[in-house]
Amino acid sequence: MATADDARQAELVSDSPNHLWSLPASRTLAVVHPDLDEAWALIKGAQFLREHRVAVTAPWYTDVRTGTEGRAVTFWPDPGKPSADTSLSAWVTALTHRIDPASAPWLREHDPFAHLLDGLDDAPLDDAARRFLRERTAQLREEWDYLDWPTPDTVVLGALGMVPVHDDGVHVGLLLRRPLMRGHREWDLVAARWRSELLTGPREDHRTYADTYFSYEREGRIPAHPYIGAWSGYQVVRDVVVLTTVMDTVRRTHLDADTRRKAAHRVACLRGAPSAPWNWGQRMECTWT
């Protein structure tokens, strides 16, 4: 390890979108990346956001370290607990969306379908479930290609929900968990609404988020549909976000029996099971956890 911590005392905080370990002795987080390119992109992205005055945690080191089994690892100060104030998430997201992507030609294009079905063949699902996921992906890919995006390209966070902003008692800021991308801000806005309003949080949370986000808009850039749910492409993007979330669970089925149960249940809900674990204008009858 590149810190003085005993690696045996490291605690796994999260395994999605990558493995995040806490090293409590030094109040450090270690992010284990799937490849070297992603590790470098995360460091570069955090530095880029700080240059544009976005509140984001800076890495301890400006290079990538090597962990066990030769995996790429980056180290970050522990930013504290995620804040319950959704306006902070909107603030960070809005400032990110104001950045001209031309200032970062190294950004990758946001493609939610890239590697989306990775791990499907190895997951303990039946053939019918695998076939459904492939067909659903192909259908959404076609609908995605015909979307009429109402705003130009910008820098996007590409999260699957409202990005968490942390508070360590002194500073608040984003802990970047995935590389920045060049894409459409509607992805971030749809993901924030789906996770907060339609799945786990009260509607007031998303109203605060939306009000704060649009308060940072420059004159002449207010979209035709400030309420993201009124945008004609909302359902397609929402369905891609949902499918991505389900596939994240499918890829983790090797962990334990509970994760395998969750994956099977979520795929069944996508296929039309009567009790879906989300609330799209209907009574929520089962949980998503």
Side-chain angles (χ1 to χ4, degrees):
M1 282 293 186
T3 72
D5 295 79
D6 183 348
R8 292 171 297 180
Q9 296 180 359
E11 301 173 0
L12 183 64
V13 177
S14 172
D15 60 2
S16 180
N18 37 41
H19 283 76
L20 181 67
W21 294 84
S22 172
L23 306 173
S26 61
R27 294 178 58 85
T28 296
L29 296 177
V31 181
V32 182
H33 301 269
D35 57 61
L36 188 62
D37 288 343
E38 192 211 70
W40 278 112
L42 201 70
I43 290 177
K44 195 170 185 177
Q47 294 171 329
F48 177 71
L49 289 180
R50 289 179 70 85
E51 290 170 2
H52 285 80
R53 302 183 181 277
V54 178
V56 62
T57 300
W60 277 125
Y61 311 107
T62 57
D63 59 353
V64 179
R65 304 301 171 96
T66 301
T68 57
E69 301 179 357
R71 302 291 295 275
V73 183
T74 56
F75 292 90
W76 309 77
D78 188 335
K81 296 180 179 180
S83 173
D85 185 351
T86 59
S87 67
L88 295 177
S89 178
W91 166 57
V92 168
T93 304
L95 293 181
T96 301
H97 289 175
R98 292 179 66 154
I99 301 174
D100 182 357
S103 62
W106 44 269
L107 287 174
R108 295 180 182 177
E109 195 74 23
H110 177 224
D111 179 6
F113 296 94
H115 306 294
L116 179 59
L117 296 181
D118 285 2
L120 178 58
D121 289 338
D122 298 326
L125 299 174
D126 58 38
D127 290 340
R130 291 195 187 92
R131 183 169 57 253
F132 167 79
L133 289 171
R134 292 191 182 96
E135 291 174 351
R136 182 62 173 153
T137 300
Q139 176 192 0
L140 288 174
R141 169 88 256 190
E142 183 176 359
E143 294 177 358
W144 175 276
D145 289 341
Y146 284 95
L147 281 174
D148 182 17
W149 298 98
T151 57
D153 281 1
T154 189
V155 179
V156 296
L157 297 165
L160 295 177
M162 191 179 292
V163 293
V165 175
H166 299 257
D167 186 352
D168 63 3
V170 179
H171 302 99
V172 296
L174 169 72
L175 175 68
L176 204 60
R177 292 289 306 278
R178 63 182 76 224
L180 299 174
M181 289 167 282
R182 177 191 181 106
H184 295 279
R185 64 177 180 171
E186 284 74 25
W187 173 275
D188 288 342
L189 298 180
V190 170
R193 179 175 185 261
W194 180 71
R195 292 292 295 190
S196 66
E197 181 180 354
L198 302 179
L199 185 61
T200 59
R203 294 180 181 272
E204 291 74 12
D205 286 352
H206 189 264
R207 278 200 289 267
T208 300
Y209 177 96
D211 290 346
T212 303
Y213 178 89
F214 288 110
S215 73
Y216 281 87
E217 282 300 275
R218 297 188 179 99
E219 185 177 354
R221 280 196 38 165
I222 297 294
H225 302 293
Y227 174 60
I228 192 63
W231 173 46
S232 62
Y234 171 78
Q235 182 172 328
V236 173
V237 177
R238 179 203 67 189
D239 288 352
V240 178
V241 172
V242 172
L243 179 61
T244 306
T245 304
V246 171
M247 277 305 304
D248 277 356
T249 307
V250 169
R251 277 189 290 272
R252 296 162 59 223
T253 50
H254 66 280
L255 295 177
D256 51 49
D258 186 53
T259 305
R260 290 191 289 274
R261 179 192 61 79
K262 289 179 181 178
H265 175 63
R266 295 177 185 188
V267 173
C269 289
L270 284 184
R271 298 177 70 182
S275 295
W278 42 70
N279 180 16
W280 293 342
Q282 61 189 18
R283 183 167 61 92
M284 191 180 300
E285 296 182 351
C286 58
T287 63
W288 182 252
T289 57

